[in-house]
Amino acid sequence: MSIHSPLNSQKKNVESSEPPARDFLSNYLDTLGMVERMHRLLLDVIKDEFERLGLLDINSVQALLLFNIGNNEVTAGELKSRGYYQGSNVSYNLKKLVESDYMHHKRCEIDRRAVRVKLTERGQEISKIVGELFERHAQGMLGRSVLEDETLNDINRALHKVERYWTDQIRYIY
């Protein structure tokens, strides 16, 4: 069953294009929809794991953020530039994580405007849980032949190319 999204309805407007362009655009729109659904599904998988463990005071976005930070100490601004966080409400999530004792924060000694964050022991535990979840998934996918290493490498290479293209569009089009 396909989830209806603006991306899917846009495909209907493509019919006047030349066949190769139409096929490419259709595939591109399918890929965009899949990337969006995969991210949402990833968050649901994390949420489900935390519900099973009875960890209800942290949401999946926050748990993924803790996993991505790991042992690093970063500023709020670096969270996006390093790819640790993709959302728009980073300040809200950081505040909640500090209040819930998953994260320490302190003013940067060099730039007093910046705040540096680091996981507490409690935050490291959440990061570990997410890491173990991902390890189980990797083992399960290999064991069931869902993906092979070469296929995963091809997917990653293709997605990195799209990421570079989009980044260039943001930086150089305006």
Side-chain angles (χ1 to χ4, degrees):
M1 185 166 137
S2 176
I3 297 173
H4 177 72
S5 76
L7 293 175
N8 290 336
S9 61
Q10 296 265 338
K11 283 190 248 181
K12 295 173 187 166
N13 299 333
V14 181
E15 293 176 10
S16 63
S17 300
E18 294 295 317
R22 183 184 68 219
D23 290 345
F24 183 85
L25 180 57
S26 179
N27 288 335
Y28 178 61
L29 294 175
D30 284 344
T31 300
L32 293 177
M34 179 61 72
V35 168
E36 182 182 7
R37 287 190 307 276
M38 293 293 291
H39 179 67
R40 288 182 182 162
L41 189 56
L42 171 63
L43 295 176
D44 286 344
V45 165
I46 294 170
K47 177 181 178 271
D48 186 60
E49 178 73 2
F50 278 67
E51 286 175 354
R52 262 196 299 273
L53 296 172
L55 296 167
L56 306 176
D57 66 332
I58 186 167
N59 66 41
S60 55
V61 170
Q62 293 164 346
L64 189 57
L65 176 59
L66 293 174
F67 172 77
N68 287 331
I69 292 172
N71 293 323
N72 298 315
E73 182 176 303
V74 296
T75 66
E78 289 172 326
L79 294 174
K80 279 192 168 186
S81 66
R82 292 187 184 192
Y84 294 162
Y85 187 80
Q86 304 305 319
S88 60
N89 52 358
V90 69
S91 297
Y92 169 81
N93 281 310
L94 288 178
K95 179 182 174 193
K96 289 294 183 187
L97 289 167
V98 168
E99 288 173 356
S100 300
D101 193 37
Y102 289 112
M103 214 179 254
H104 294 293
H105 75 291
K106 66 178 180 179
R107 290 264 171 229
C108 182
E109 293 176 16
I110 298 168
D111 181 356
R112 301 296 294 164
R113 297 169 295 171
V115 174
R116 298 194 68 73
V117 294
K118 185 177 183 178
L119 304 189
T120 62
E121 191 173 312
R122 192 169 184 220
Q124 289 171 351
E125 217 18 71
I126 296 297
S127 178
K128 181 180 173 190
I129 290 169
V130 175
E132 290 169 351
L133 173 67
F134 291 163
E135 284 178 29
R136 284 196 317 273
H137 289 170
Q139 289 172 353
M141 285 186 194
L142 281 172
R144 294 181 183 166
S145 299
V146 173
L147 286 174
E148 295 175 9
D149 204 27
E150 184 177 332
T151 305
L152 200 52
N153 286 331
D154 290 343
I155 292 168
N156 286 332
R157 270 193 295 280
L159 290 173
H160 281 293
K161 287 178 182 180
V162 172
E163 179 183 38
R164 276 193 305 275
Y165 177 80
W166 285 351
T167 301
D168 288 348
Q169 296 304 299
I170 293 166
R171 289 186 182 146
Y172 304 115
I173 292 298
Y174 300 108

